[in-house]
Amino acid sequence: MNAVTVVAHAKLTLALHVVGVRPDGYHELDAIVVSVSAPSDTLTVEYAAQDQLVVDGPMAAGVPTDHTNLAARALAILRDHAIDVPPLRMTLTKEIPHGAGLGGGSADAAAVLVAARALCGLDLDDNDLAHFGAQLGSDVPVCLHGGMTHMTGRGEHVEPLPWSGPFGVVIAVPSFGMSTPAVYRAWDELGGPQSTREVRPSATGPALRNDLEPAAETVTPALISVRTDIAAATGLEPLLAGSGSAYACVVDDAAHARSVAATLTEACPHLRVFGGVATNVGVSLG
Ligand code: C5P
């Protein structure tokens, strides 16, 4: 085997409760997170004479190709722990928008860990990968685990939830991104508000809320018109994804997601719209 290709799925927070602040400034979360089929990035890892990171695809603009990219840092962290990883060429095709709250960089880091283990036959189990992943970023463990999960701590505790999928998911992303640290800072400055806006995707389902939504909409008030535009076009109540800037609507199934996505694309050409389903994997090995 000379190359391995994997698909890195975006993650969507269906509910995000901020339940405390740690002495180090990180926030304690109690969240329900699910992997989605779209958007997703594709990563190919192959043996090479020297390390190389190539980034292409519709969302490649502005993505660094140096050591600061989380994909490169994922390789570095393996080597920092004396794991023998030979030089690799990584080709990352980006579809997950940056700064959307969909865990794009974290999904890429998770993909590198999984692909490097598969290509190089590394003697690492899933717990080892999650341990390295948590050092790379708060969302990497949840992207590694995939499926429907209960995420707590700063993101390092991930427990599987009973799989209630696949249900449809429509994600709409404006042309601007959000800074996650700025949104958490705003949440602190606002006195740690609980969101009062609850969304109930189905009559029988639970009410969902994202406590970062009031903070994100304070940092960037333009988010409010994005939310109201989506609601007006679809008749659905969107929920902010993570710290934004994407909003998501949960719908019945893939066909429903496709029709809502088509309606939204026509009504709101300024939004990048994805219609897909919840998936039960974070990184799919091709
Ligand atoms: O862990 P990660 O580098 O992805 O986090 C980015 C930033 O988001 C942190 O520096 C912190 O400001 C904020 N954050 C937080 N609490 C979390 C996750 C992230 O305050 N649970």
Side-chain angles (χ1 to χ4, degrees):
M1 187 164 53
N2 289 321
V4 164
T5 297
V6 297
V7 176
H9 296 281
K11 60 94 188 162
L12 176 63
T13 47
L14 293 175
L16 194 161
H17 301 183
V18 185
V19 293
V21 186
R22 294 184 175 194
D24 65 3
Y26 272 90
H27 295 72
E28 291 280 347
L29 305 178
D30 184 359
I32 300 173
V33 184
V34 73
S35 311
V36 294
S37 63
S40 61
D41 293 346
T42 305
L43 171 79
T44 297
V45 173
E46 56 201 316
Y47 292 117
Q50 58 189 39
D51 281 340
Q52 193 185 1
L53 175 60
V54 178
V55 182
D56 61 19
M59 286 293 121
V63 176
T65 54
D66 62 7
H67 66 282
T68 61
N69 189 300
L70 267 182
R73 287 174 50 203
L75 268 195
I77 208 164
L78 293 174
R79 294 180 181 138
D80 288 349
H81 288 80
I83 294 161
D84 188 18
V85 182
L88 298 176
R89 174 186 159 97
M90 302 193 284
T91 307
L92 188 55
T93 303
K94 292 286 309 170
E95 187 190 40
I96 307 174
H98 175 72
L102 299 169
S106 307
D108 298 341
V112 168
L113 296 176
V114 170
R117 176 174 68 177
L119 179 67
C120 310
L122 304 178
D123 183 21
L124 298 170
D125 64 21
D126 290 350
N127 287 333
D128 296 328
L129 295 194
H131 174 72
F132 294 134
Q135 294 172 47
L136 292 164
S138 304
D139 287 335
V140 182
V142 88
C143 289
L144 273 167
H145 193 291
M148 175 85 98
T149 52
H150 182 205
M151 183 177 102
T152 53
R154 100 173 216 254
E156 71 276 34
H157 302 303
V158 180
E159 294 290 334
L161 285 174
W163 175 240
S164 57
F167 45 85
V169 178
V170 179
I171 292 175
V173 190
S175 57
F176 56 88
M178 298 295 292
S179 152
T180 300
V183 173
Y184 276 106
R185 242 186 343 265
W187 186 88
D188 293 338
E189 285 161 10
L190 290 170
Q194 237 182 39
S195 177
T196 52
R197 211 173 67 80
E198 291 197 327
V199 171
R200 198 179 285 275
S202 73
T204 52
L208 306 171
R209 68 166 211 264
N210 178 346
D211 286 341
L212 292 179
E213 195 173 86
E217 292 183 350
T218 301
V219 172
T220 304
L223 280 172
I224 298 167
S225 54
V226 173
R227 168 162 63 78
T228 51
D229 286 352
I230 297 169
T234 64
L236 299 166
E237 272 300 321
L239 197 67
L240 191 73
S243 54
S245 59
Y247 285 86
C249 299
V250 173
V251 297
D252 297 341
D253 53 24
H256 192 189
R258 272 195 300 275
S259 77
V260 171
T263 304
L264 192 52
T265 302
E266 190 165 333
C268 301
H270 54 292
L271 300 178
R272 185 172 282 265
V273 180
F274 303 91
V277 288
T279 72
N280 58 6
V281 280
V283 179
S284 328
L285 208 44

